[in-house]
Amino acid sequence: MLRVLFIVVLITHGLIQLMGFVSQWQLAILPQLTGRSLIPVSSDMAKVLGIGWLVACVGFVLAAVSYGLRKDLWLVTALLSIVVSQALIVVYWPDAKAGTIANLIVLVVIGFAYANLRFDQKADQAAQQLLAKEPLDRTIITTDMLVNLPEPVKQWLMKADVLGKEKIRTVRLRQQGLMRTRQDGKWMAAEAEQYFTVDQPGFVWKATIQMAPLLQLNGFDQYKNGHGGMTIQFMSLINIADEKGPEMDQGALVRFLSEIIWFPTAVLSSYIRWEAVDDRSAKATMTYGGVTASGIFRFNSHGDIAGFEAQRYRQADSHYILDTWTTTSDTYRALCNGIRIPTQGAATWKFKTGDFTWYKLAITAIDYNQSALY
């Protein structure tokens, strides 16, 4: 709705510029335009300035079209249109000064949009660098590869239909979800993209969280070369969090391990060791980059993955503590290459004061072994 509203603002503001062209070229009589100016304007100069109004009109309309098509070109087009428009407004200030308000509104949106673009570019660059390092591996999954796995893990992979499929090396996916930052906090809509590499485990996750109309948080999580990091910014401008260090390394490793449910052939990776627990659960221990962490994978009666539990570091005030972190999974579908994965889930911290479910998500798209970003 807000996107449509801004398109309407751009087009309307552009069409108002057209009044200046019509007036200066005397194509119609517009009583609301007196022609008064802050500097003397000859009749010939008036026509030149009239062309300027026409250029501003076309510029704002083109910016609206580009914005509607989600093309970054709208930023430059709108900014140049503002420059032309405001210069003419200054000349014809007695009649046109109200147009300054519209120009300021568009300029503020440009500022936030540019900041968001820079944030996205940083995340996309990190994702592209991650994907570029993943080696090519055309290994086909066979029954022999599953022999040494605990029985419930083996059954899960069979149910996921990985046999005869190419080993998953890279993953790209899109999520929609709800997020909150406190146990009593309100749920905020979130959209995210995530990219994984498997042989050299890593991921990049970028998200937009809608706090309120016109207000958003931008999140960027990264796990690369055994190190994790998290950045959260308000409107892509103000840092709310910028965390890294040993605790973040452990937390990112645990997150990666928990999310192999979306690319099941990662179960066979050399950095993961499996131990049987019972007929519906198995313990996975991942060691990479000098960091080791374990988690329990649980399965339902149908052989599908049902949940994950591990000890994971979280920030509490100014320090980190280990707490129980769990995920749950449901709604299973084959979205890519016939591989069955859970497409809905939730993440929960187990506090002494009660469970804190902070993220609910749905996978809306997933692709394997692609080197390009969305």
Side-chain angles (χ1 to χ4, degrees):
M1 179 62 71
L2 291 175
R3 190 173 189 85
V4 173
L5 179 60
F6 185 61
I7 290 173
V8 171
V9 168
L10 285 172
I11 293 175
T12 302
H13 189 43
L15 293 177
I16 290 173
Q17 315 293 309
L18 191 61
M19 294 172 63
F21 171 73
V22 170
S23 176
Q24 298 307 313
W25 278 74
Q26 300 179 354
L27 300 178
I29 298 175
L30 302 175
Q32 60 270 48
L33 298 182
T34 65
R36 290 180 298 164
S37 60
L38 295 181
I39 60 175
V41 176
S42 66
S43 58
D44 289 339
M45 180 57 68
K47 289 194 172 185
V48 173
L49 296 178
I51 296 296
W53 287 115
L54 180 61
V55 169
C57 168
V58 172
F60 281 119
V61 172
L62 288 177
V65 172
S66 296
Y67 180 80
L69 295 174
R70 300 180 185 272
K71 302 294 185 181
D72 294 335
L73 181 62
W74 86 268
L75 291 164
V76 176
T77 307
L79 185 60
L80 292 176
S81 300
I82 287 174
V83 171
V84 174
S85 172
Q86 195 59 40
L88 293 167
I89 287 172
V90 170
V91 173
Y92 293 102
W93 187 257
D95 287 341
K97 56 182 179 290
T100 300
I101 297 174
N103 279 338
L104 287 174
I105 291 173
V106 176
L107 188 61
V108 168
V109 175
I110 287 174
F112 285 129
Y114 179 72
N116 192 62
L117 176 63
R118 293 291 297 163
F119 187 93
D120 279 350
Q121 287 176 336
K122 176 184 176 183
D124 288 347
Q125 183 180 29
Q128 197 66 76
Q129 290 173 349
L130 182 77
L131 296 177
K133 290 186 176 181
E134 191 69 351
L136 183 64
D137 185 348
R138 299 289 190 184
T139 301
I140 301 299
I141 306 300
T142 65
T143 305
D144 293 342
M145 297 178 181
L146 313 186
V147 170
N148 295 322
L149 293 173
E151 190 61 28
V153 179
K154 188 186 306 182
Q155 292 302 316
W156 166 40
L157 293 184
M158 299 283 284
K159 187 69 178 287
D161 200 17
V162 302
L163 293 179
K165 307 289 175 61
E166 189 174 295
K167 180 181 177 182
I168 299 170
R169 307 181 312 274
T170 66
V171 184
R172 64 182 188 185
L173 61 82
R174 283 181 168 146
Q175 304 171 357
Q176 289 184 344
L178 296 171
M179 182 182 292
R180 59 181 176 177
T181 56
R182 302 188 315 274
Q183 283 177 285
D184 60 348
K186 70 171 186 176
W187 288 102
M188 300 176 289
E191 292 188 358
E193 289 181 11
Q194 192 164 4
Y195 301 89
F196 295 88
T197 53
V198 179
D199 286 347
Q200 301 177 65
F203 65 76
V204 167
W205 178 83
K206 68 172 184 177
T208 301
I209 301 100
Q210 204 68 43
M211 300 173 62
L214 303 178
L215 300 178
Q216 68 181 38
L217 295 174
N218 297 87
F220 170 51
D221 274 12
Q222 181 172 258
Y223 178 53
K224 183 180 179 182
N225 298 328
H227 298 291
M230 176 185 68
T231 301
I232 299 176
Q233 292 184 338
F234 173 68
M235 302 299 289
S236 300
L237 290 170
I238 302 172
N239 273 6
I240 304 298
D242 190 7
E243 307 295 335
K244 56 186 176 182
E247 294 84 2
M248 291 300 300
D249 297 345
Q250 188 268 2
L253 183 147
V254 170
R255 175 175 176 175
F256 178 90
L257 181 60
S258 74
E259 293 177 345
I260 65 172
I261 60 175
W262 298 324
F263 41 103
T265 66
V267 160
L268 303 170
S269 300
S270 60
Y271 47 78
I272 301 177
R273 179 169 53 87
W274 291 92
E275 302 172 58
V277 175
D278 54 40
D279 60 352
R280 287 198 187 177
S281 60
K283 179 180 179 181
T285 299
M286 178 173 170
T287 300
Y288 192 77
V291 178
T292 297
S294 298
I296 303 295
F297 286 86
R298 294 189 171 88
F299 308 89
N300 62 26
S301 59
H302 303 290
D304 288 308
I305 191 77
F308 174 84
E309 180 176 315
Q311 293 294 297
R312 183 182 180 185
Y313 278 105
R314 69 176 179 89
Q315 192 172 32
D317 298 323
S318 59
H319 62 285
Y320 288 92
I321 61 173
L322 271 176
D323 249 328
T324 302
W325 184 74
T326 68
T327 65
T328 54
S329 304
D330 57 53
T331 312
Y332 308 92
R333 295 171 58 197
L335 293 183
C336 180
N337 200 26
I339 294 179
R340 178 181 168 90
I341 63 168
T343 58
Q344 294 188 25
T348 301
W349 286 104
K350 299 284 189 177
F351 295 157
K352 292 180 180 178
T353 56
D355 291 356
F356 171 34
T357 298
W358 62 276
Y359 191 40
K360 300 177 182 178
L361 67 91
I363 304 295
T364 58
I366 190 167
D367 297 287
Y368 301 134
N369 298 340
Q370 300 289 326
S371 59
L373 306 187
Y374 279 119

